[in-house]
Amino acid sequence: MKIFLDTAKVEEIRRASSWGVVDGVTTNPSLLARAGRADVETAIREIASLVQGPISVEVISNTAEGMVEEARRFASWKLNTAVKIPMTEEGLKAVRMLAAEGIKTNVTLVFSVPQALLAAKAGASFVSPFVGRLDDVGQEGMELVRDLARIFTHYGFSTEIIAASIRHPMHVVEAARAGAHIATVPFSVLTRMLQHPLTDVGIQRFLEDWERLQAQVPSAAGAAKV
Ligand code: G3P
């Protein structure tokens, strides 16, 4: 399963990509606002210098024509972008037009199997079911990912499933079990994925034992001085 970073904060992307685990990045207007990045092109160029994988950039138009115009502008940057399109009637029209032009799309704000099926049929490169937001309203978000993985495999859709709105490490584990192609993960969740209290305790014990050993056995350097 691929891991995308769900952030527009360049410092977070720089740090996580130095670990060798970032396959792509997803942004949205809220994440750009949180990062204080009003100049979207500059932000995306900085991100593209750090990660090879696709970077999702979201349109803000609500008509198919407007979305396609924005998407063409993103494509003119000649970076590895995927255009995030909201799951609406106009969005589907835009996805179909962009697929014909070979522009990658990520259909976002997907909350049901029927929505995802339509997005895949229209030619979306990615669909983003929002797991955490479904959990928030008392519906099991991961059930949607499981269903989509089964259905897309059965019918051979090439659309990749991005488990989005990920809130904690177990969401990532469940997304992998469910067969998501990708989980897009906030930096705080990625950080928690690498931590385990037993790792910290283990390191501490190894160091203490090593220091105890040094205190008992004269070091080679110490012995040479005598
Ligand atoms: O990838 C979608 C994500 O940014 C939404 O997450 O936590 O706002 O539901 P959240």
Side-chain angles (χ1 to χ4, degrees), residues 50-226:
L50 298 169
V51 293
Q52 287 192 336
I55 303 158
S56 287
V57 198
E58 191 154 340
V59 296
I60 46 162
S61 309
N62 51 19
T63 62
E65 292 68 28
M67 291 176 197
V68 168
E69 202 179 301
E70 283 187 73
R72 288 188 184 135
R73 184 162 51 82
F74 301 157
S76 76
W77 301 340
K78 305 266 180 245
L79 303 169
N80 187 7
T81 51
V83 186
K84 243 180 171 181
I85 306 270
M87 179 58 223
T88 60
E89 180 179 347
E90 291 298 302
L92 284 180
K93 279 163 42 181
V95 167
R96 185 185 60 81
M97 290 190 260
L98 293 169
E101 293 183 23
I103 294 178
K104 278 189 277 201
T105 53
N106 172 0
V107 175
T108 188
L109 293 164
V110 167
F111 293 98
S112 72
V113 173
Q115 287 184 321
L117 264 178
L118 293 179
K121 293 280 296 173
S125 319
F126 305 97
V127 286
S128 291
F130 273 33
V131 173
R133 290 193 197 184
L134 280 170
D135 287 355
D136 288 346
V137 296
Q139 207 178 320
E140 201 205 327
M142 211 50 76
E143 189 59 35
L144 174 57
V145 176
R146 262 191 294 280
D147 281 347
L148 294 182
R150 200 166 49 236
I151 294 165
F152 284 13
T153 302
H154 181 78
Y155 288 104
F157 284 120
S158 58
T159 307
E160 291 189 79
I161 301 161
I162 304 181
S165 184
I166 293 284
R167 302 281 167 75
H168 48 72
M170 273 315 288
H171 266 159
V172 183
V173 173
E174 288 163 16
R177 284 189 187 134
H181 301 92
I182 300 147
T184 190
V185 179
F187 183 70
S188 59
V189 174
L190 195 71
T191 306
R192 276 182 279 155
M193 283 170 70
L194 73 78
Q195 295 164 344
H196 197 289
L198 290 179
T199 305
D200 299 337
V201 168
I203 291 171
Q204 184 66 24
R205 274 198 205 142
F206 285 151
L207 288 178
E208 283 166 7
D209 287 345
W210 179 251
E211 274 159 24
R212 204 170 309 118
L213 178 69
Q214 296 309 298
Q216 286 163 5
V217 181
S219 71
K225 270 189 222 148
V226 177

